[in-house]
Amino acid sequence: MNCCGPNRRQVLGLLAAAALPLTWSSPVRAQPGSLVVTDLEVVTVTDRTAVLTWTTLGQDANGAPVPVETDSEVWLGDPDGSGLRQVYGDSRPTAYHYAEVTGLEPGRAYRFEARSAGLPAAPAVNVATRQPNTPESLGVFTTLVPPPGRLLRTIALSDDIHYGEEVSGIITAGLPPGLRQEPGLAPYPEIMLDALLDDMHRPDRAVDHLLLAGDLTAEATPEQVRGVHARLANWGVSGRDWLAARGNHDRPHLGADYESCSPYLDHHDCWGDSFSARQQLAAYELGELRLIALDTTELDIPGGTLDRAQLDELRERLAADPDRPTLLFGHHPVTTESGWSNLAGPSFILNAANAAELQSIYRAAPGVFLHHSGHTHRNRRTRPDLPIPVEFLEVAACKEYPGGYTLLRLYEGGYMVNFYKTRTDAARRWSTRSRGEYFGLQPEYTLGTTADRNHTVLRDLTGVSPA
């Protein structure tokens, strides 16, 4: 059973659209048959840093593109192009370039160039980075202005690891053709999860808590559940360092492969044996900050639901302390805008009745400030259906391009959102390979706009205690 894709009509529409980019101009080449410096993306822009990624390619004897390892440089200057100087250099050869520039000034525009072998990097043919107003097309990015006050906590938001998956990018019925890991390399879900956890421990990220909004497994077999749980448990303590919600791939299953797990109706729930029972929320209080994980999963279908008991418990918890700063996360997106803008349509997200009630509950709890979801594998902010000051944020999948997580930095006067790609060598290699999913359309849908990935929200969070 394929539980997570759109219908056949939508797939055919996607495949028809895939022909469009083939008519666009090719990336800039240094000279015929030589190095191509392409796929430029300004992934992350904070108040004081920026992360740029790009790829270097050549041609084999048959003219097919192959990775070429070379150096990495970033040059910055004023928006008018004056004063351009090198601010980043790495002579270690790689084809999958990741450059993090530090020491920037908040709220300032910078002209930039990323270079390899002295050649400037150009964006790929994707619209996502070639629209007229993108940093990649302008050659200019502007750093964020952080919220006022002290930095209190840093929370990482992630989802869609699909531990145990072997083919990435299939929507339904074997279409479009998916991608497998290169022979001899570790399974890509393990590479991407390990890279995520590696980043969480690095001091330049300074993560206090990791929230995982579902689809941690491919199909919630006993082996997959135990494998992903063991990696998380080795990294930190459940309920303190990391918190997880169930996704539709983690649902109870039918079949002999699951009979060693606890029964749930006529299914068996392997996820519940290691994580949490189905359709039960989990609430955590970290000082004055409240985190609530919702189980939004149906049985055997990709769409989302919240049963009456879970909604009532949520309403009671929020009503008991409505002003406490609260972040909620669950697998399925909530808003009408998300329903109509994702590839699979409204049936793919939380059902409309539950979504309306959930937002009504949030309206009565002024402390709720953000709802994080996964499922669509994209970076996207959507508008709530009610006039409530709650951000609904979808975060791109960990397991494939763009392959990363979002950092939510909480300040006394609000929060800053930044998406980061993971950066181990193996993760950068797989992310580059998997950007070719859906006939190269993967970046159009999943990368999101610069503002989706990087923004600041002013909000009174003075009640949140420092980590």
Side-chain angles (χ1 to χ4, degrees):
M1 177 183 299
N2 186 318
C3 71
C4 48
N7 59 38
R8 184 172 180 81
R9 176 183 58 81
Q10 291 160 327
V11 171
L12 292 175
L14 175 66
L15 299 184
L20 180 61
L22 299 181
T23 66
W24 299 351
S25 60
S26 299
V28 174
R29 294 179 182 274
Q31 56 185 358
S34 67
L35 189 68
V36 179
V37 188
T38 186
D39 298 344
L40 174 67
E41 293 174 357
V42 183
V43 181
T44 312
V45 182
T46 77
D47 56 333
R48 295 190 178 275
T49 66
V51 178
L52 292 75
T53 63
W54 66 97
T55 308
T56 43
L57 302 173
Q59 293 182 338
D60 65 14
N62 297 317
V66 292
V68 173
E69 295 185 337
T70 184
D71 63 339
S72 310
E73 293 180 358
V74 176
W75 293 63
L76 293 186
D78 293 329
D80 62 4
S82 63
L84 205 65
R85 62 186 179 88
Q86 185 178 345
V87 296
Y88 177 92
D90 190 344
S91 60
R92 293 173 298 177
T94 182
Y96 315 107
H97 303 265
Y98 184 109
E100 183 160 3
V101 179
T102 60
L104 305 180
E105 297 178 12
R108 178 179 168 185
Y110 291 88
R111 181 162 294 280
F112 69 93
E113 277 191 10
R115 301 175 184 175
S116 286
L119 302 175
V125 295
N126 306 108
V127 172
T129 50
R130 282 187 177 259
Q131 296 184 76
N133 61 342
T134 63
E136 296 85 357
S137 62
L138 293 172
V140 176
F141 65 77
T142 301
T143 53
L144 299 180
V145 176
R150 295 177 299 162
L151 175 63
L152 302 171
R153 291 176 185 262
T154 299
I155 300 172
L157 310 178
S158 186
D159 48 76
D160 292 278
I161 295 166
H162 291 217
Y163 191 94
E165 185 178 87
E166 296 181 355
V167 183
S168 184
I170 292 178
I171 298 178
T172 187
L175 293 173
L179 291 175
R180 292 182 178 271
Q181 179 60 288
E182 297 169 82
L185 299 182
Y188 61 83
E190 297 178 21
I191 283 174
M192 300 306 283
L193 175 56
D194 288 348
L196 169 70
L197 299 179
D198 176 73
D199 256 22
M200 299 300 96
H201 271 162
R202 295 200 191 186
D204 58 354
R205 298 295 180 259
V207 170
D208 299 306
H209 316 287
L210 169 62
L211 309 187
L212 299 148
D215 278 5
L216 274 64
T217 67
E219 290 299 335
T221 65
E223 297 77 17
Q224 292 170 7
V225 172
R226 286 195 297 265
V228 74
H229 190 276
R231 274 178 155 81
L232 291 170
N234 286 337
W235 178 81
V237 177
S238 174
R240 184 194 70 190
D241 301 320
W242 61 270
L243 318 171
R246 187 196 301 256
N248 56 300
H249 282 261
D250 309 316
R251 72 198 186 282
H253 280 65
L254 295 165
D257 291 342
Y258 300 90
E259 290 178 353
S260 63
C261 302
S262 295
Y264 181 86
L265 301 177
D266 57 342
H267 294 59
H268 288 86
D269 188 10
C270 303
W271 168 274
D273 289 342
S274 293
F275 289 91
S276 57
R278 183 174 176 271
Q279 281 294 318
Q280 290 188 10
L281 66 77
Y284 309 88
E285 294 184 359
L286 305 170
E288 289 301 308
L289 176 65
R290 178 168 51 193
L291 305 174
I292 298 178
L294 300 175
D295 184 338
T296 58
T297 59
E298 292 268 17
L299 283 179
D300 302 329
I301 62 173
T305 191
L306 289 164
D307 68 12
R308 176 47 47 194
Q310 190 174 186
L311 279 167
D312 288 346
E313 182 181 355
L314 176 63
R315 188 188 303 274
E316 291 171 5
R317 283 183 175 273
L318 295 181
D321 195 357
D323 296 315
R324 179 187 289 268
T326 302
L327 185 160
L328 293 100
F329 64 107
H331 190 59
H332 292 81
V334 175
T335 68
T336 299
E337 181 185 346
S338 180
W340 288 107
S341 64
N342 83 83
L343 284 175
S347 65
F348 196 58
I349 69 167
L350 189 67
N351 71 69
N354 284 169
E357 184 171 357
L358 185 64
Q359 293 177 75
S360 177
I361 293 171
Y362 291 172
R363 182 166 56 182
V368 175
F369 63 92
L370 188 140
H371 184 114
H372 158 223
S373 58
H375 197 43
T376 58
H377 295 203
R378 63 182 180 172
N379 291 308
R380 181 74 179 245
R381 283 190 297 172
T382 61
R383 297 181 301 272
D385 303 313
L386 298 176
I388 53 177
V390 180
E391 175 168 354
F392 290 87
L393 181 66
E394 299 164 40
V395 174
C398 173
K399 62 110 175 176
E400 65 194 354
Y401 173 90
Y405 57 91
T406 287
L407 288 192
L408 184 70
R409 295 182 174 96
L410 304 183
Y411 293 80
E412 291 174 315
Y415 59 87
M416 186 162 57
V417 169
N418 296 108
F419 177 78
Y420 291 83
K421 294 181 181 180
T422 50
R423 50 185 162 166
T424 64
D425 291 343
R428 288 185 284 126
R429 181 171 182 154
W430 170 253
S431 290
T432 302
R433 179 173 171 81
S434 58
R435 73 177 286 129
E437 291 177 11
Y438 312 136
F439 299 98
L441 291 177
Q442 179 82 337
E444 311 291 16
Y445 181 61
T446 61
L447 181 61
T449 67
T450 304
D452 284 329
R453 303 191 306 273
N454 305 283
H455 56 270
T456 297
V457 175
L458 299 181
R459 181 85 183 229
D460 183 5
L461 298 178
T462 53
V464 176
S465 57

